[in-house]
Amino acid sequence: MIDPETVTRLDAQAQQILRANDKGGYTVPTKGLYPFQWNWDSALTALGIACFDADRAWQEIEKLLSAQWDNGMVPHIVFWQHEEGYFPGPGEWRSERTPPTSGITQPPVAATVVRQLASFLPGDHGARVTPMLHALDRWHQWFADARDPDGIGVVAIMHPWESGRDNLPDWDAPLAHVDTSNVGAFMRRDIQLVNAAERPVNDDYNHYMALVQFGRTCQWDVKTIAEKCPFWVAEPGMNAILRRAERDLIALAMQFNLPEIASRATRRLTRLDHGFNQLWSDIAQGYTTLDLRNKKLEHRLSSASWLSLYGGPENDIRAKSHYSNRIEWRQKIRFALPSFDPGDPAFDDIRYWRGPVWAMINWMVATGLAEHGRPDLASLLADDTAALVEQSAFREYFSPVTGKGGGGKDFSWTAAMWLYWASPSARQKNGDTITWARSNFAMCANPFAMSR
Ligand code: GLC
């Protein structure tokens, strides 16, 4: 139980962080380490901003979508203003666009956020939301065309950064096939700002830069990328988040009378719902990463395995195996949900995505658990998230073993998830389950949702 004064103090601090990270229309994830607009950070951060400034929350999404590429992609970083201290900056990506951006995307949580905002912010949102739905439809169509050109029903990532989970152990084997001999020397900036033990290792960075080099050499041409990129991997995080986003886009399109968008999204969703099955590992009893280039399925679980519950309705047998895996993991650590299996030798409690807990993943997994009739497990995740913030404030991520914070400080999405979901004051206001009920699958328009 967090005492009421602490809750009031943390609520105020979270708001203050979001205001301080506001650059005018967009919010940086944290000053110094990430000084631009990041795609999924921005969308998730809008949920926190909405708790105190509705108009500003909508602007966050509008600004992100205004950087959409002509081919529909919404980039992972938008370099709205010049900043010296970040690597790799616009000169490495060479997007040849104004504003400059990176050349890759990130998990498309935006449609889900728009649906959440439209459902609880007061007012008639039609005029504001309609252009967003057109942009989201084009982005989701880009995923289908560029990242699943053969129509197999899972979308691929061409860079670990596209998953948003940069150094997950799942990427180790597929990255080993990426040639780094032409990368040359470069200077990392992240480890000048954050303890190197909490960040990806240098060898990871060589591989990241080799893939950036590949992309810019083909000028980010999606056909060349799909045919030749040495890293081409389908993973449950991106795919579950996209399935969820399509469901939310369908609901919004019906609500705002855009039937063509609803039917396009339904067609895409049907393919994705069926295709997701390819990521199931009988050995791991969960959804894992499929290396499409080397035809190899990973058999270790990560926190994204649970996102299947957020992606759409899960069948009972698989849902039960998620719950028991989840409980088994929790017994090995103090705070859920670690980003990687705490029983695996590759687990590292403080190194970024090889173990640490991330507040926004907890929110997504909790949403899925509640929607599958497990508010008990969902509440445990909110409790753990709140306890971590109480112990270590608004850090980028947390050790599931000690609760120690890692990476950047005063982090936007941690502050946002606190305000929107994990803070006892938010839970009291929302009656604990209201944020989940808001997005219940009952409103799902997809007739094929249960057929997998
Ligand atoms: C790291 C994270 C990614 C996030 C970005 C900005 O790259 O792995 O998920 O979007 O930082 O916070």
Side-chain angles (χ1 to χ4, degrees):
M1 237 343 236
I2 309 181
D3 70 75
E5 290 89 82
T6 307
V7 173
T8 310
R9 179 177 56 78
L10 290 170
D11 284 356
Q13 199 183 332
Q15 234 192 78
Q16 196 264 326
I17 289 170
L18 295 182
R19 290 187 199 279
N21 288 347
D22 183 349
K23 292 281 166 192
Y26 72 97
T27 307
V28 298
T30 182
K31 291 192 189 125
L33 189 60
Y34 298 120
F36 307 103
Q37 184 173 30
W38 258 259
N39 187 323
W40 72 330
D41 295 67
S42 230
L44 291 158
T45 296
L47 292 173
I49 301 172
C51 298
F52 58 91
D53 188 342
D55 184 57
R56 181 62 189 77
W58 286 119
Q59 276 173 28
E60 191 75 28
I61 310 285
E62 284 163 349
K63 186 87 173 171
L64 174 67
L65 295 177
S66 76
Q68 183 166 38
W69 283 22
D70 300 337
N71 68 3
M73 185 186 81
V74 180
H76 108 286
I77 309 175
V78 191
F79 300 104
W80 289 110
Q81 59 189 46
H82 179 75
E83 284 273 350
E84 269 311 316
Y86 181 79
F87 179 86
E92 299 292 328
W93 292 101
R94 292 189 219 147
S95 67
E96 313 296 350
R97 296 184 53 87
T98 311
T101 72
S102 68
I104 57 173
T105 196
Q106 260 192 331
V109 290
T112 299
V113 169
V114 169
R115 185 167 174 214
Q116 300 268 317
L117 296 180
S119 70
F120 82 93
L121 291 177
D124 167 13
H125 306 295
R128 203 147 197 182
V129 165
T130 299
M132 291 184 197
L133 300 189
H134 285 287
L136 291 166
D137 177 41
R138 291 183 49 229
W139 185 18
H140 294 184
Q141 190 61 45
W142 173 87
F143 270 108
D145 298 340
R147 295 298 198 241
D148 180 19
D150 298 330
I152 61 171
V154 282
V155 295
I157 53 173
M158 63 85 55
H159 195 296
W161 288 340
E162 281 200 318
S163 72
R165 298 182 297 143
D166 305 8
N167 64 339
L168 189 74
D170 287 23
W171 320 140
D172 296 356
L175 280 180
H177 297 275
V178 176
D179 177 14
T180 57
S181 55
N182 289 323
V183 167
F186 57 86
M187 186 167 40
R188 287 178 64 178
R189 301 297 188 121
D190 57 322
I191 45 180
Q192 296 170 345
L193 297 162
V194 168
N195 182 351
E198 297 170 13
R199 297 285 306 176
V201 296
N202 281 338
D203 190 47
D204 289 334
Y205 257 80
N206 285 331
H207 289 86
Y208 301 156
M209 292 320 296
L211 291 169
V212 170
Q213 204 169 57
F214 176 89
R216 73 169 179 247
T217 305
C218 72
Q219 296 172 322
W220 305 104
D221 175 62
V222 293
K223 200 159 170 284
T224 312
I225 289 172
E227 278 166 12
K228 302 205 175 105
C229 183
F231 184 88
W232 193 246
V233 159
E235 56 97 4
M238 184 65 110
N239 280 280
I241 289 170
L242 179 58
R243 288 172 57 222
R244 174 51 174 255
E246 294 286 28
R247 288 193 154 74
D248 289 324
L249 180 60
I250 293 165
L252 286 162
M254 311 251 290
Q255 183 184 346
F256 294 100
N257 200 20
L258 296 163
E260 282 172 16
I261 292 185
S263 66
R264 263 196 303 276
T266 303
R267 278 198 296 277
R268 292 190 298 256
L269 177 59
T270 305
R271 192 160 91 177
L272 290 167
D273 272 347
H274 287 283
F276 197 66
N277 205 27
Q278 295 165 79
L279 305 183
W280 177 262
S281 156
D282 274 333
I283 296 174
Q285 283 296 301
Y287 295 93
T288 59
T289 293
L290 175 62
D291 180 346
L292 294 167
R293 263 312 164 248
N294 303 294
K295 310 267 175 293
K296 209 165 171 302
L297 185 66
E298 176 67 62
H299 295 299
R300 298 177 295 180
L301 298 178
S302 71
S303 54
S305 309
W306 279 268
L307 288 175
S308 87
L309 301 170
Y310 165 92
E314 182 56 281
N315 75 48
D316 278 357
I317 298 171
R318 288 187 181 180
K320 282 201 183 101
S321 106
H322 292 318
Y323 309 145
S324 56
N325 284 337
R326 156 82 177 69
I327 290 161
E328 196 188 305
W329 273 27
R330 183 67 167 66
Q331 284 159 355
K332 297 191 179 126
I333 39 101
R334 268 175 64 205
F335 303 95
L337 184 65
S339 41
F340 194 67
D341 184 347
D344 190 277
F347 173 80
D348 180 339
D349 75 306
I350 202 63
R351 201 181 281 281
Y352 223 33
W353 288 97
R354 299 179 87 86
V357 180
W358 296 71
M360 79 297 179
I361 298 280
N362 278 4
W363 171 68
M364 288 189 253
V365 173
T367 303
L369 285 164
E371 285 166 345
H372 282 77
R374 292 304 301 261
D376 54 332
L377 294 178
S379 293
L380 279 180
L381 279 178
D383 292 345
D384 280 2
T385 309
L388 287 165
V389 169
E390 185 189 17
Q391 180 183 326
S392 300
F394 298 98
R395 296 297 294 269
E396 186 176 2
Y397 48 83
F398 306 89
S399 160
V401 178
T402 63
K404 184 173 165 284
K409 296 188 174 140
D410 295 343
F411 222 84
S412 293
W413 61 19
T414 312
M417 288 299 114
W418 170 268
L419 281 180
Y420 184 64
W421 165 63
S423 164
S425 64
R427 293 170 72 180
Q428 202 178 17
K429 194 162 71 206
N430 297 332
D432 219 8
T433 51
I434 291 181
T435 51
W436 300 320
R438 268 186 212 142
S439 50
N440 201 290
F441 294 131
M443 286 179 66
C444 172
N446 178 16
F448 304 101
M450 299 300 291
S451 65
R452 187 156 47 87

